[in-house]
């Protein structure tokens, strides 16, 4: 009897203590974009926030509601969204956050990322990106019968899983930003008519975008950055009218620090690939060798140029600093390291091996 | 519980029907250690020992094996609990005073556990959770467990280990994002830094000193020694693994900013049926917190009952009220942090200084008595 009394008491006391969030009664933001306000005369500190919340209708149609507000703090923007939304807005389903190129280049993204990192309801897998043009236009575009947030998330997800984009979500971004020997980068997105598109990556230093790489350089960058396997192909021009497309199976990078004391680092990339397309007549062993060599040279040239520009800018998106730190005894001084890094002799060596040439000879 | 007064100089006599099997000590030791500390101990250790913090945690764990050994040496000789030990060593008044301090320490521990757990719920899930209401309901549940006596407490601690054990698997998610080169170079910190890190991790190991009170409730208590060591070993291994994963997952400056590193790693977990794993994890944590509260409150109540010779049932309810009121008085993050810090500091000195001291005093006294 007494037990059932306690049980009754618990049931009575435990219900309705806190605010409920029933799925049908809330607006879930899936994508949020930040931009500088259009009008110049207003206060400089203001930020324009654009949020998109999908509405799922019973007939299978998905309608994207766009909220645009301007305020000083991003959470202040949210309370303004609530003022124009029929249902309370929650951010637990946020998939991607975009910053405009203007913000990334001038103010930096860290003050806006602070709220994403502080809010316990936002996951670590949220993707971050830079919008190339007008963020509001990018988010207002209708990309078909899909929820805009999930659409962009899918683009970034499959490209970083199987494509040429190195993975970068909220957690990896924060890891790189706060790490002693690494600088983060973010994918740059743009709309191409009614489609979204990755047009490259922006390289950040201290939260500000200082340089960028175009989509063509992504393959080389990913080889330098991490071990991966992808489904994208790389085309090699052997001579003006002869080319081959190589479908990359697996790539590994190795860093040799043996002579780091003499300020020398050697990066070796290793690719295993398969030929997917060949414009020549017959794929003889000699032709294969030539393709391998041409590809090696091509990537080496691009890679060396890329590394040189990183050194000139004093950024380290390849996390070489972390790798060196893990081999250095005693205190690691990141300031000193960057100075050293700028003068460092970093060589890049590429090895390509073509294992198969498809199902015909 | 019987109301007979026991002779003051010998240990307390517990009827066989109230005793528990020696193997349950494994769960009693392990479940009282794993509590609120494990949610965020990484930051405190890493602040001092950086990427060698896992060594700190491991060393702290190993050193406590020796302390557990000493506790068993003391208790096997005493054949009683800390109250009778104090009385024998220091006399009625000084002994009683020391017992009071120990009792206060256990009560402070239960306050820390309850308040920190409520804080976690408030920050992570329900910002508008009423701490009085939730604390009240949770303590009601604790009272229900305690009213069954020590056997029920031991049973709860068994479930508090076994049921939420699946949470260990969630440490797999951050491994995919781990940068294990961050662990290198190993031993890159001075002994002092590693010691500071070990000290910082001590809150997460505390609580096993409740052994001093439930020892008479164990059947053939000498046999339970290896079980106690085993329970502690499991804690040590678990914490070391969590620490290694955390160092690999976060960069140093990022970890220093993260208050609850273990909970933050859950944010990366992705499962088809749940978007945010923290909600499930924190809810499951109630099962870890319950035995924690039960054991510490039981130990506090038992101490008072032994000291004042009153029935434990009449002590428990006022004690729970006190815990509810005091824990609800802590409102801000800094205060809760301070509470955690002081409890772990007191616990640290209790374990590393007071326990060896007791051992030496008891040894000396037994020699003196023999010489007479």
């Amino acid at each position: 009897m007494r037990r059932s009394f306690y049980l009754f008491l618990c049931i009575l006391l435990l219900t309705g203590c806190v605010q409920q969030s029933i799925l049908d009664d809330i607006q879930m933001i899936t994508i949020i974009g930040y931009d500088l306000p259009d009008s110049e005369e207003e206060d400089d500190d203001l930020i324009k926030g654009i949020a998109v919340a999908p509405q799922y209708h019973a007939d299978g149609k998905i309608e994207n509601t766009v909220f645009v507000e301007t305020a000083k703090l991003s959470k202040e923007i949210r309370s303004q969204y609530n003022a124009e939304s029929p249902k309370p807005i929650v951010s637990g389903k946020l998939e991607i956050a975009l910053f405009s190129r203007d913000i990334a280049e001038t103010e930096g993204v860290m003050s806006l990322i602070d709220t994403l990192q502080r809010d316990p309801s936002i996951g670590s897998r949220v993707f971050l990106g830079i919008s190339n043009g007008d963020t509001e236009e990018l988010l207002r575009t209708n990309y078909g019968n899909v929820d805009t947030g999930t659409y962009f998330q899918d683009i970034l997800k499959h490209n970083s899983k199987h494509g040429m984009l190195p993975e970068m979500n909220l957690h990896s971004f924060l890891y790189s930003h706060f790490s002693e020997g690494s600088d983060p980068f973010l994918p740059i997105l743009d709309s191409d008519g009614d489609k979204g598109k990755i047009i490259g990556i922006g390289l950040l230093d201290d939260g500000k975008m200082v340089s960028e790489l175009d989509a063509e350089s992504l393959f080389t960058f990913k080889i330098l950055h991490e071990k991966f396997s992808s489904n994208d192909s790389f085309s090699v021009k052997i001579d003006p009218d002869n080319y081959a497309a190589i479908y990359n199976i697996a790539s590994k990078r190795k860093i040799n620090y043996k002579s780091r004391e003499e300020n020398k680092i050697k990066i070796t990339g290793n690719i295993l690939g398969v030929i997917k397309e060949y414009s020549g007549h017959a794929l003889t062993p000699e032709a294969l060798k030539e393709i391998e060599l041409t590809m090696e040279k091509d990537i080496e040239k691009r890679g060396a140029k890329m590394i040189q520009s990183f050194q000139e800018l004093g950024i380290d998106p390849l996390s070489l600093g972390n790798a060196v730190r893990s081999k250095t005894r005693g205190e690691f001084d990141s300031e000193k390291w960057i100075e050293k890094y700028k003068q460092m002799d970093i060589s890049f060596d590429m090895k390509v091996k073509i294992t198969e040439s498809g199902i015909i000879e | 519980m019987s109301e007979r007064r026991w002779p003051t100089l010998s240990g307390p006599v517990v009827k066989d029907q109230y005793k528990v099997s020696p193997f349950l000590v494994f769960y009693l030791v392990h479940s009282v250690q794993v509590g609120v500390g494990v949610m965020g101990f990484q930051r405190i250790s890493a602040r001092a020992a950086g990427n060698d913090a896992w060594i700190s945690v491991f060393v702290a764990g190993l050193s406590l094996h020796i302390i557990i050994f000493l506790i068993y040496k003391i208790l096997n000789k005493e054949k009683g609990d800390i109250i009778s030990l104090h009385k024998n060593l220091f006399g009625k008044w000084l002994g009683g005073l020391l017992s009071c301090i120990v009792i206060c320490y256990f009560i402070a521990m239960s306050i820390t556990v309850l308040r920190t757990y409520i804080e976690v719920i408030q920050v992570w899930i329900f910002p508008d959770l009423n701490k009085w209401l939730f604390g009240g309901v949770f303590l009601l549940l604790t009272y229900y467990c305690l009213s069954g006596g020590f056997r029920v407490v031991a049973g709860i601690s068994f479930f508090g280990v076994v049921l939420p054990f699946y949470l260990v698997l969630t440490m797999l998610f951050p491994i995919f994002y781990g940068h294990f080169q961050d662990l290198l170079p190993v031993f890159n910190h001075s002994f002092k830094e590693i010691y500071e890190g070990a000290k910082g991790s001590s809150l997460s190991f505390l609580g096993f000193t409740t052994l001093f009170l439930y020892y008479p409730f164990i059947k053939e208590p000498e046999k339970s020694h290896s079980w106690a060591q085993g329970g502690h070993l499991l804690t040590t291994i678990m914490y070391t693994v969590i620490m290694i994963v955390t160092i690999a997952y976060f960069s140093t400056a990022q970890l220093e900013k993260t208050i609850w590193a273990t909970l933050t790693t859950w944010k990366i977990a992705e499962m088809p049926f749940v978007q945010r794993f923290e909600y499930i994890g924190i809810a499951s944590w109630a099962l870890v917190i319950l035995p924690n509260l039960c054991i510490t409150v039981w130990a506090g109540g038992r101490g008072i009952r032994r000291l004042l010779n009153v029935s434990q049932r009449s002590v428990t309810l006022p004690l729970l009220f006190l815990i509810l009121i005091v824990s609800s008085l802590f409102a801000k993050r800094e205060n809760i942090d301070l509470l955690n810090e002081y409890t772990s500091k007191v616990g640290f000195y209790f374990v590393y200084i007071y326990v060896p001291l007791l051992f030496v005093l008891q040894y000396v006294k037994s020699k003196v008595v023999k010489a007479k």
Side-chain angles (χ1 to χ4, degrees), chain A residues 2-3 6 9-10 13-14 17-19 92-95 114 116-117 119-125 153 157 167 169 171-172 174-176 178-180 257 319 322-323 325-331, chain B residues 51 123-126 128-130 133-134 137 140 143-144 147 173 177 179 181-189 193 247-254 257 264 267-270 275-276 278-279 313:
Chain A
R2 213 158 94 190
R3 283 179 194 191
Y6 286 140
L9 205 64
C10 285
L13 289 175
L14 277 176
C17 288
V18 289
Q19 194 193 332
K93 186 78 182 139
L94 189 75
E95 308 277 18
D114 179 80
L116 302 177
Q117 154 190 30
D119 189 340
S121 69
I122 288 173
S124 296
R125 276 182 202 257
Q153 185 211 20
K157 206 183 207 167
E167 186 166 353
N169 57 26
H171 172 73
S172 353
L174 292 170
Y175 176 88
S176 288
F178 287 114
S179 173
E180 286 168 313
Y257 317 90
S319 334
N322 267 343
R325 190 206 55 79
S326 73
K327 304 265 184 229
T328 315
R329 291 232 152 243
E331 196 80 14
Chain B
N51 67 338
V123 172
W124 285 80
I125 310 182
F126 300 121
D128 48 358
L129 181 82
N130 185 327
L133 213 55
F134 182 84
V137 173
L140 204 66
Y143 178 71
Y144 177 54
S147 62
F173 290 102
Y177 286 86
H179 305 75
Q181 66 175 12
D182 284 6
L183 292 166
L184 298 170
V186 183
F187 287 119
N188 198 24
H189 289 77
E193 285 168 323
I247 294 170
Y249 181 72
F250 294 101
S251 48
T252 321
Q254 190 188 7
K257 279 172 73 117
T264 305
K267 277 180 157 207
I268 204 82
E270 193 183 57
Q275 179 88 14
R276 291 265 73 75
E278 308 92 271
Y279 288 73
R313 199 163 290 201

Side-chain angles (χ1 to χ4, degrees), chain A residues 302-325:
Chain A
R302 286 181 198 219
K305 221 170 104 189
M306 207 178 271
I307 293 169
Q308 205 191 346
S309 77
F310 293 162
Q311 282 178 298
E312 277 161 16
L313 289 161
I315 51 172
D316 185 11
L318 303 175
S319 334
L320 292 176
N322 267 343
V324 170
R325 190 206 55 79

Side-chain angles (χ1 to χ4, degrees), chain B residues 92-335:
Chain B
K92 194 176 174 192
W93 292 107
L94 186 60
L97 182 72
L98 288 170
S99 298
C100 272
I101 295 171
V102 171
I103 291 163
C104 287
Y105 163 63
F106 287 137
I107 295 167
M109 253 188 85
S110 58
I111 292 168
T112 313
V113 168
L114 182 67
R115 187 62 190 100
T116 313
Y117 184 56
I118 292 177
E119 188 201 6
V120 166
I121 300 177
Q122 282 175 331
V123 172
W124 285 80
I125 310 182
F126 300 121
D128 48 358
L129 181 82
N130 185 327
K131 57 190 172 186
W132 293 92
L133 213 55
F134 182 84
V137 173
F138 209 80
L139 288 174
L140 204 66
L141 185 62
T142 314
Y143 178 71
Y144 177 54
C145 298
L146 288 175
S147 62
F150 184 70
R151 287 177 63 92
V152 174
V153 172
I156 290 289
S157 72
F158 170 78
F159 284 115
V161 175
V162 173
L163 292 181
F165 203 75
Y166 77 95
L167 289 174
V168 170
L169 297 178
T170 58
M171 280 295 124
L172 288 173
F173 290 102
I175 285 178
F176 293 112
Y177 286 86
H179 305 75
F180 284 91
Q181 66 175 12
D182 284 6
L183 292 166
L184 298 170
V186 183
F187 287 119
N188 198 24
H189 289 77
S190 65
F191 281 110
K192 194 177 177 293
E193 285 168 323
I194 288 178
Y195 162 77
E196 286 294 328
K199 203 172 155 187
S201 71
S202 59
L203 172 68
S204 41
F205 281 108
L206 294 179
F208 61 87
T209 38
T210 43
L211 249 175
F212 272 127
L213 283 149
Y214 60 72
Y215 181 85
F217 283 80
I218 308 164
K219 265 181 221 154
E220 303 171 272
E222 290 85 359
K223 278 191 184 160
S224 69
H225 185 188
S226 48
W227 289 109
Q229 297 282 10
H232 176 65
L233 184 67
L234 180 64
T235 316
T236 309
I237 293 171
M238 217 156 110
Y239 286 2
T240 310
V241 170
I242 291 174
M243 195 73 222
I244 289 174
V245 172
T246 310
I247 294 170
Y249 181 72
F250 294 101
S251 48
T252 321
Q254 190 188 7
L255 181 58
E256 268 167 34
K257 279 172 73 117
T258 311
I259 302 173
W260 294 283
T262 310
L263 303 185
T264 305
T265 54
W266 281 345
K267 277 180 157 207
I268 204 82
E270 193 183 57
M271 278 176 249
F273 57 93
V274 57
Q275 179 88 14
R276 291 265 73 75
F277 183 76
E278 308 92 271
Y279 288 73
I280 294 180
I282 292 171
S284 306
W285 214 256
L287 277 171
V288 179
I289 298 302
L290 183 62
N292 242 292
L293 269 180
C294 284
I295 296 171
T296 46
V297 177
W298 181 88
R302 171 76 186 167
I304 297 172
R305 179 235 177 280
R306 291 266 299 120
L307 210 57
L308 304 176
N309 270 325
V310 290
S311 90
Q312 189 161 359
R313 199 163 290 201
S314 63
V315 176
T316 308
L317 215 49
L319 201 57
L320 290 173
F321 265 109
L322 179 83
I323 291 168
L324 177 65
I325 290 164
V326 177
S327 70
S328 300
L329 290 179
F330 290 91
K332 271 160 70 183
R333 166 100 266 273
E334 300 96 84
N335 300 344

